[in-house]
Amino acid sequence: MIDISESVMQFLLAFVVVAPLLGALAALLPAPPGLKGTSPEQAVLRHGVTVTGAVLIAAIALALGFDHDHPSRMQATTDISWIPALDVRIHLGIDGISLPLLVLTALLTFLCALYSYFKMPSGPSPKAFVALLLVLESGTLATFAVLDLLLFFLAFEMVLIPMYFLIARWGGEGRTRAAWRFILFTLLGSVVMLLGLLLIGLKAGTFDMVALATDNGRSLTTSVQVIAVLAVGIGLAVKAPMWPLHSWLPDAHTAAPTVGSVLLAGVLLKMGTYGFVRILLPAAPHGFHTFAPYLAAFAVVGIIYGSLACLALAKRGAKGDLKRLIAYSSVGHMGFVLLGIATTTRTGVNGALFANVAHGLITGLLFFLVGALKDRTGTTDLDALAEETGAALYGKAPRLGGLLAFGAVASLGLPGLAGFWGEMLAMFGAFKPAADLSRPAFLTFMAIAAFGTLLTAAYMLIVVRRVCMGAVPQETPELADVHTYEFAAWTPLVVLTVLAGLWPRALLGLTDPAVQQLLAGGIR
């Protein structure tokens, strides 16, 4: 930890949230200020790398200046009155729950901007692409930093429009339909969520998330809590995505450009599960406990459903799309996150938060790799990929094949890598859930989830065998191995996946005290 004054920390957090928005406005100027390139297009892409890089540096400085001895305390707080009539405030702050997601968002957005500088997706002007990417980053970072319910809703909605256009304008085949499904599902869920947030704020007399967590539902009757959890939970579950509200996700991932898929899986899905932990669990505990068994049931159905869908796509001759397979795998992985939250235990919620970060790192890497395969072969169809590579990616492009195998074994939860700890802790939480929850029911959920891990291993290993492990045929064309810019964009994800797997305490040491404080009835 570096000793940084509170005022500097406040500035850094405000900069992290606001700088991408200002950078988006600057990107639309005739020429981004202070940057030059061989063409206007290169200049604006360089502008995107510069802004996201500055935000990443500020986020790392926040992490270094964070008081790791007191991660349950809100730090770098700013609290300014905004709408006095409704007591809505511009309230920002970070603790051990939000800090990892803030840094993850800044990192993935920077890596996407860096990747796009060298491999811009085909589509309209780069100006609009960079501006939308920065608006998306600002909205996502704000979601993890704001401490007011209405500001949370505004930030939550802020990401929808840029992601819609990234899919609709820079996506692949079927992009228009996928973009419309994405926006309609998420907007309909958000309308219901807004009603629930208003109910909580008006009945409790405040929209401040810290005050609501400290009150721990004492200002809300049980019936109000049940209605609020149902309404807010539907909106969060759509974004999570929870089965059966997930159907927008496979189309969106399949059609989105590479960086769109990375950000959608890496950070946007986390906004939903973060809302469960930050808002519903502390502000409406009785209502949440009422729905916890149902949430766990939907979560484990999603785990099995996602795994079976991936197995069906991985079969030879099934016309399986690799991007679509990874999208369905996200339904399963986020099922473990929801299961951990549903246990309402220290172990389960910590596992959910760990799995959130691990999924962002691993699935972000996998979507980068699939994008690279599509750039080289022109397809993400598994049968076509097997033909293009001769099912011998190891032999034709050993570094690319090795990275794909690494991402696959990390995704299936190999011990020693980041994917292992979150899923294991979520199942441990289900083994002994909160006292007022049915232990036999959660033991059943744990057993189903454990079976899901076996299915995950099966489909991931099938993918590796089909794409990577054949003998190198002489007649197939050459395949370029990892380029320097790809190596730069992917290495941080590989390194962090290994570090989080070997040293889980680095992340759990942040989240655990904050989770204990949250479950005990408040945050300071």
Side-chain angles (χ1 to χ4, degrees):
M1 184 185 73
I2 298 176
D3 188 15
I4 300 178
S5 68
E6 182 66 16
S7 59
V8 174
M9 292 284 285
Q10 290 173 348
F11 170 78
L12 287 172
L13 183 57
F15 177 83
V16 162
V17 172
V18 175
L21 201 56
L22 298 177
L25 295 174
L28 297 175
L29 296 175
L35 293 172
K36 296 181 179 179
T38 57
S39 67
E41 289 76 14
Q42 188 189 56
V44 76
L45 290 171
R46 187 174 296 174
H47 170 74
V49 175
T50 303
V51 174
T52 55
V55 171
L56 176 59
I57 291 171
I60 292 173
L62 268 175
L64 293 175
F66 188 80
D67 184 358
H68 292 259
D69 294 328
H70 301 91
S72 62
R73 179 173 61 85
M74 280 295 170
Q75 301 179 36
T77 54
T78 299
D79 192 0
I80 303 170
S81 179
W82 184 37
I83 306 176
L86 294 176
D87 194 29
V88 177
R89 310 182 68 82
I90 299 176
H91 192 181
L92 305 176
I94 51 171
D95 65 354
I97 293 172
S98 54
L99 179 62
L101 293 171
L102 198 82
V103 176
L104 175 67
T105 301
L107 172 65
L108 284 177
T109 312
F110 169 71
L111 297 180
C112 285
L114 180 66
Y115 186 85
S116 299
Y117 178 75
F118 295 96
K119 191 66 181 179
M120 170 70 192
S122 58
S125 164
K127 280 181 173 292
F129 175 83
V130 170
L132 290 169
L133 190 69
L134 292 173
V135 171
L136 182 68
E137 179 182 32
S138 182
T140 310
L141 290 167
T143 301
F144 300 134
V146 298
L147 297 172
D148 183 276
L149 289 182
L150 292 187
L151 277 183
F152 174 86
F153 177 78
L154 292 176
F156 197 86
E157 295 303 287
M158 184 177 170
V159 305
L160 300 185
I161 300 302
M163 182 54 72
Y164 167 81
F165 281 109
L166 285 175
I167 296 172
R169 303 300 298 276
W170 287 271
E173 184 179 351
R175 60 181 182 268
T176 301
R177 178 177 180 271
W180 274 110
R181 282 176 65 86
F182 165 76
I183 200 74
L184 288 176
F185 265 79
T186 49
L187 279 178
L188 288 173
S190 296
V191 169
V192 181
M193 184 176 76
L194 176 60
L195 296 176
L197 293 175
L198 290 173
L199 178 63
I200 292 173
L202 294 174
K203 289 293 184 179
T206 180
F207 289 97
D208 187 85
M209 290 155 69
V210 175
L212 287 167
T214 304
D215 183 68
N216 203 221
R218 285 182 285 270
S219 299
L220 304 174
T221 64
T222 300
S223 59
V224 168
Q225 290 190 36
V226 168
I227 296 170
V229 169
L230 180 62
V232 177
I234 288 173
L236 297 175
V238 170
K239 189 67 71 72
M242 182 186 77
W243 180 92
L245 303 175
H246 70 286
S247 58
W248 61 270
L249 182 69
D251 287 341
H253 270 309
T254 304
T258 296
V259 295
S261 294
V262 170
L263 293 176
L264 184 57
V267 294
L268 263 68
L269 303 189
K270 314 302 175 284
M271 294 164 61
T273 52
Y274 173 79
F276 277 107
V277 175
R278 176 62 78 203
I279 299 173
L280 294 185
L281 195 56
H286 299 299
F288 189 86
H289 279 233
T290 299
F291 285 104
Y294 304 101
L295 177 63
F298 284 126
V300 296
V301 170
I303 292 170
I304 299 300
Y305 171 83
S307 298
L308 290 176
C310 290
L311 271 174
L313 290 169
K315 287 168 55 181
R316 189 179 300 277
K319 297 187 181 300
D321 185 281
L322 189 51
K323 283 189 77 174
R324 197 171 189 85
L325 185 148
I326 297 172
Y328 273 112
S329 77
S330 292
V331 177
H333 289 306
M334 298 310 290
F336 281 99
V337 177
L338 293 170
L339 175 62
I341 296 170
T343 68
T344 67
T345 62
R346 170 185 172 188
T347 301
V349 176
N350 273 304
L353 295 172
F354 198 105
N356 253 346
V357 175
H359 178 263
L361 296 171
I362 296 166
T363 309
L365 175 64
L366 284 172
F367 276 118
F368 269 133
L369 292 167
V370 174
L373 279 174
K374 186 174 183 180
D375 291 338
R376 287 159 171 76
T377 63
T379 184
T380 55
D381 180 86
L382 276 168
D383 284 335
L385 277 174
E387 292 176 6
E388 289 286 339
T389 63
L393 191 59
Y394 281 147
K396 298 180 71 64
R399 288 188 290 274
L400 188 58
L403 284 169
L404 182 61
F406 172 85
V409 296
S411 184
L412 62 83
L414 184 73
L417 298 176
F420 171 74
W421 295 106
E423 295 181 1
M424 184 193 71
L425 290 173
M427 288 190 286
F428 276 1
F431 180 75
K432 191 175 181 180
D436 58 344
L437 298 176
S438 169
R439 193 180 184 205
F442 273 82
L443 286 174
T444 304
F445 299 147
M446 183 195 72
I448 296 171
F451 179 64
T453 63
L454 299 179
L455 295 178
T456 302
Y459 70 74
M460 279 298 181
L461 293 176
I462 289 172
V463 168
V464 172
R465 177 176 59 80
R466 289 190 62 189
V467 178
C468 297
M469 299 183 67
V472 182
Q474 297 297 321
E475 65 274 11
T476 55
E478 291 297 320
L479 199 67
D481 211 339
V482 178
H483 300 301
T484 302
Y485 71 90
E486 292 171 331
F487 184 79
W490 304 341
T491 298
L493 302 179
V494 174
V495 171
L496 289 172
T497 298
V498 174
L499 287 178
L502 295 177
W503 191 29
R505 186 178 181 277
L507 184 55
L508 293 173
L510 280 173
T511 62
D512 185 45
V515 168
Q516 289 187 63
Q517 184 71 30
L518 205 68
L519 295 175
I523 49 181
R524 297 189 298 273

